[in-house]
Amino acid sequence: MGEEMENMSVNTSSKTEDENHVPAEDGAVKYYTRDEVQAHNMSKDTWLIIHDKVYDITSFLEEHPGGEEVLLEQAGSDATESFEDVGHSTDAREMLQQYYIGELHEDDRKKETKKEVYITTSKESSSWSTWLIPAVAVAVVGFMYRYYMLEHKSS
Ligand code: HEM
């Protein structure tokens, strides 16, 4: 009898964390892959990725001032760009915290390093224009000076 009671209580407590998707109480961060997030792409179960963080916004859909349509379009995917395009207020950013459930897995984060390469190599082709304009200016001033001197000599 006593043993049975103990088993029952173990079963009920292990259920709660998985159902609510709440980060563990000891502060440990939960990591999700893009595939895991992608599975939550319906109105009854809606997750989003914004800035490499994962949010369960199911209960927020109806409250969203911008309507639930736009959120459902992004359901299960990375909504960082659309979230930033709208220019959400600081209030909106603070609201996000209520729906936070974990982080995007390191391997699934976008690498930002490639962009910088383009900036450093693009200068070469325009370098001729940096000396051509002053050179033409010097030549014009030179001709004007010669012309001025000739005029003065002849008069
Ligand atoms: C869970 C994430 C989100 C939260 C907490 C949130 C919150 C809010 C809030 C509080 C507003 C009112 C205006 C403001 O304070 O900025 C708003 C407006 C809006 N949001 Fe969101 N939003 C979220 C995600 C998104 C996403 C992913 C999109 C686009 C796909 C979006 C599109 C819009 C639009 C179009 C408006 C209306 C702007 C206007 O009428 O001026 N939101 N949102």
Side-chain angles (χ1 to χ4, degrees):
M1 238 339 228
E3 268 177 29
E4 249 174 71
M5 290 280 279
E6 234 177 79
N7 282 343
M8 274 172 73
S9 70
V10 168
N11 278 343
T12 43
S13 66
S14 65
K15 234 179 164 184
T16 46
E17 207 224 334
D18 220 64
E19 280 192 346
N20 299 331
H21 306 295
V22 171
E25 266 171 29
D26 58 8
V29 179
K30 270 209 123 203
Y31 287 91
Y32 300 98
T33 61
R34 278 187 196 272
D35 286 346
E36 275 178 280
V37 178
Q38 184 57 51
H40 303 266
N41 61 359
M42 53 213 96
S43 60
K44 273 187 281 174
D45 181 17
T46 317
W47 289 14
L48 283 185
I49 301 165
I50 297 175
H51 292 301
D52 295 334
K53 293 184 172 13
V54 182
Y55 301 94
D56 179 350
I57 54 153
T58 317
S59 61
F60 177 66
L61 289 176
E62 286 179 16
E63 292 171 36
H64 183 222
E68 66 181 306
E69 279 292 300
V70 284
L71 297 183
L72 286 171
E73 270 170 30
Q74 305 288 325
S77 62
D78 194 326
T80 309
E81 238 180 88
S82 13
F83 183 82
E84 291 303 341
D85 281 353
V86 172
H88 281 91
S89 64
T90 335
D91 276 358
R93 284 160 208 277
E94 277 168 15
M95 282 170 87
L96 269 179
Q97 292 168 22
Q98 302 170 42
Y99 307 103
Y100 174 83
I101 54 168
E103 302 281 325
L104 187 63
H105 199 281
E106 289 284 339
D107 297 344
D108 275 355
R109 293 182 184 204
K110 285 182 184 149
K111 313 277 182 295
E112 301 278 332
T113 43
K114 274 186 191 164
K115 277 182 195 166
E116 286 165 33
V117 178
Y118 297 112
I119 300 163
T120 46
T121 53
S122 62
K123 255 195 156 183
E124 237 167 84
S125 62
S126 65
S127 62
W128 62 270
S129 64
T130 53
W131 58 261
L132 187 65
I133 294 167
V136 170
V138 167
V140 169
V141 171
F143 277 116
M144 282 169 74
Y145 181 70
R146 261 184 82 158
Y147 180 74
Y148 176 82
M149 290 300 274
L150 282 173
E151 285 271 294
H152 269 255
K153 259 188 196 167
S154 57
S155 62

